Amino acid sequence: MKKVKIGIIGIGNMGSSHCNTIINNQVPDMELAAVADVKEAKRNWAKENLPESVAVFEDGDALIEDSLCDAVIVATPHYEHPRLVIKALEHGLHALSEKPAGVYTKQVREMNEAAAKSNLVFAMMFNQRTNHVYRKMHELVHSKTLGAIKRVNWIITDWYRTQAYYNSGEWRATWEGEGGGVLLNQCPHNLDLLQWICGMPSSVQAFCHNGKWHDIEVEDDVTAYLEYPSGATGVFVTTTGDAPGTNRFEITLEKGKLVCESDKLTLYQLDVSEREYCFTATEGFKAPEGQYVTLETDGKNPQHSGVLNAFAGKILYGTPLVAEGAEGINGLTLSNAMHLSSWLGKPVKLPFDEDLFLTELNKRRATSKLKKNVKEVTFDTGSTYGSQVKL
Ligand SMILES: NC(=O)c1ccc[n+]([C@@H]2O[C@H](COP(=O)([O-])OP(=O)(O)OC[C@H]3O[C@@H](n4cnc5c(N)ncnc54)[C@H](O)[C@@H]3O)[C@@H](O)[C@H]2O)c1
């Protein structure tokens, strides 16, 4: 059976981890054919650590222009994701973009249009969608057995990062190099899951604090209030400065409450709908009765290799992706709306003015300073998802 010849563009933390996943045979339908990196040190790493058969290019453009690969994974800093995905599609290559889909929705919309015009596979690396607990939440909410959502709270402060992390690349945590902070680097996973499970809000108000806990110019502490078209409300809280952090995703529905805390999912199911009970009960203080329900999941959580196997499967056999590429714009819409709301100091209705967002972002880019005194390190990305401390 033919394997998908894959090229990886950007072999820093994440790209090098994808290389190892593939050469260690965790994606049987994929063969690592090429890698590209603009940095010589990364190319030297590739020559020393990857099989000799893997071609090494000096940048993503050169890899795409060569006819060696069937598909690419774009694992560069975020601003480059849409440009390289569009270029890959134009050269007839299937494309998988790392998260986030890009930095601003206007740019990502162009990428989605290019993908829609092609007959190629376009996917997003939303590896946390492979986690059985989030898949279960998605299934339960979408089945409507628990009724409509009333309230969503996600406190995700479990993304601890040190100053050494921020100093490890000149692009990191700068408006010019990255386009944002915790919302754009760590939270794309959570914002994607939030929209995948609960749908999109109609209004967002956020308070973003720049460089509150680190010496950086972008946000590292955010509290956002969300309003949904159904009348449900939500709160999303995140930071890279709390230790130990919290990861508690709580959805209150008409007939029960789902709580996912530190990767453990519980459901308290009511005997009747609270909405019905509220107006029929004769008692004043007594809440409707219910019980904890044992939830069965398949227990699987393959993360990155799950996304890569599904990508190869879609190319070779037409089987479903973990996340369609076109869906990447949704989580980015949430983070752009949070930034815009904080910059303007008022709530932002969705869809927001994408040109205004870009004007505001560009104001910040104009005075942005790429990092000096950078100490390049390739970190182990193994603990970048899931709780590090169970409390
Ligand atoms: N899915 C996940 O769990 C996960 C985890 C970490 C990072 N990421 C994402 O992966 C991307 C990269 O993050 P990272 O931490 O690996 O960054 P990094 O700085 O360690 O690596 C990025 C690499 O891309 C290279 N590069 C830049 N432009 C290039 C180009 N045009 N052609 C070829 N190479 C180019 C850089 O030289 C660098 O080596 C980010 O978008 C990040 O959000 C995803």
Side-chain angles (χ1 to χ4, degrees):
M1 175 65 69
K2 184 185 177 300
K3 291 188 178 199
V4 175
K5 287 189 177 161
I6 194 91
I8 301 184
I9 303 177
I11 46 169
N13 292 320
M14 201 61 247
S16 63
S17 168
H18 293 323
C19 289
N20 289 327
T21 303
I22 296 162
I23 63 173
N24 292 332
N25 283 331
Q26 291 175 52
V27 194
D29 285 327
M30 224 175 234
E31 176 192 331
L32 184 60
V35 295
D37 204 291
V38 291
K39 289 192 178 132
E40 195 181 2
K42 306 288 178 187
R43 296 196 298 273
N44 287 341
W45 171 86
K47 287 172 194 158
E48 284 159 22
N49 293 282
L50 299 177
E52 263 180 43
S53 59
V54 178
V56 181
F57 291 90
E58 293 197 359
D59 63 29
D61 293 79
L63 183 149
I64 291 168
E65 283 158 19
D66 199 282
S67 53
L68 211 58
C69 301
D70 305 314
V72 294
I73 300 171
V74 177
T76 62
H78 333 312
Y79 274 110
E80 284 277 82
H81 296 174
R83 185 186 77 76
L84 288 165
V85 166
I86 292 171
K87 180 156 180 165
L89 294 168
E90 284 170 355
H91 281 75
L93 306 180
H94 306 285
L96 189 157
S97 173
E98 260 301 345
K99 45 55 58 172
V103 175
Y104 48 96
T105 51
K106 203 175 171 181
Q107 180 194 38
V108 170
R109 205 171 291 290
E110 286 165 18
M111 173 169 72
N112 286 354
E113 282 162 12
K117 271 193 253 152
S118 77
N119 280 328
L120 297 156
V121 177
F122 171 38
M124 278 299 305
M125 178 53 81
F126 284 135
N127 42 288
Q128 294 210 14
R129 284 200 199 183
T130 66
N131 188 334
H132 60 113
V133 291
Y134 296 130
R135 283 188 280 118
K136 191 55 147 186
M137 290 178 91
H138 178 268
E139 179 194 314
L140 285 166
V141 171
H142 284 247
S143 73
K144 303 274 185 216
T145 48
L146 297 167
I149 296 174
K150 294 165 68 184
R151 182 182 312 287
V152 179
N153 294 314
W154 200 342
I155 173 160
I156 171 64
T157 54
D158 196 18
W159 285 123
Y160 186 70
R161 294 292 184 269
T162 63
Q163 190 66 39
Y165 164 83
Y166 285 117
N167 292 349
S168 69
E170 68 289 344
W171 63 279
R172 286 194 192 284
T174 61
W175 294 114
E176 181 57 12
E178 180 153 23
V182 63
L183 286 176
L184 218 52
N185 193 307
Q186 286 75 30
C187 286
H189 293 298
N190 312 103
L191 295 173
D192 173 63
L193 290 170
L194 187 65
Q195 69 80 28
W196 186 54
I197 296 169
C198 302
M200 288 293 279
S202 45
S203 163
V204 171
Q205 180 154 25
F207 303 89
C208 300
H209 297 266
N210 295 337
K212 183 164 184 172
W213 309 111
H214 306 88
D215 181 16
I216 54 172
E217 60 185 37
V218 294
E219 81 289 348
D220 58 2
D221 196 296
V222 177
T223 299
Y225 166 69
L226 316 171
E227 285 181 355
Y228 289 83
S230 63
T233 59
V235 175
F236 184 85
V237 178
T238 190
T239 181
T240 52
D242 282 5
T246 299
N247 183 2
R248 183 179 168 94
F249 182 13
E250 181 179 299
I251 308 176
T252 305
L253 302 109
E254 290 169 328
K255 294 186 198 161
K257 181 154 114 176
L258 280 165
V259 177
C260 184
E261 181 146 20
S262 304
D263 270 358
K264 193 169 171 295
L265 181 61
T266 52
L267 167 63
Y268 188 86
Q269 192 159 11
L270 298 179
D271 296 337
V272 290
S273 162
E274 180 282 328
R275 290 291 69 207
E276 200 182 305
Y277 176 87
C278 177
F279 295 102
T280 51
T282 49
E283 303 225 28
F285 288 81
K286 196 168 173 284
E289 287 189 354
Q291 56 283 311
Y292 283 100
V293 174
T294 306
L295 290 172
E296 302 241 327
T297 72
D298 63 17
K300 291 183 184 156
N301 186 12
Q303 294 288 330
H304 303 99
S305 65
V307 174
L308 295 177
N309 277 305
F311 183 51
K314 176 84 174 188
I315 294 168
L316 294 176
Y317 320 113
T319 47
L321 291 170
V322 169
E324 292 283 343
E327 293 172 32
I329 202 165
N330 297 338
L332 186 67
T333 297
L334 291 177
S335 82
N336 281 187
M338 289 179 192
H339 275 129
L340 188 60
S341 160
S342 189
W343 294 338
L344 301 178
K346 61 180 188 185
V348 161
K349 291 220 179 310
L350 271 56
F352 55 81
D353 180 343
E354 292 183 336
D355 291 317
L356 175 63
F357 177 85
L358 192 51
T359 305
E360 288 294 326
L361 175 64
N362 286 341
K363 277 189 209 164
R364 286 152 182 88
R365 292 172 80 182
T367 55
S368 174
K369 290 189 180 62
L370 290 188
K371 290 227 176 53
K372 297 188 183 81
N373 306 323
V374 161
K375 194 161 181 289
E376 285 251 1
V377 194
T378 299
F379 291 110
D380 177 6
T381 51
S383 61
T384 59
Y385 57 88
S387 293
Q388 294 170 33
V389 179
K390 312 278 181 208
L391 287 178

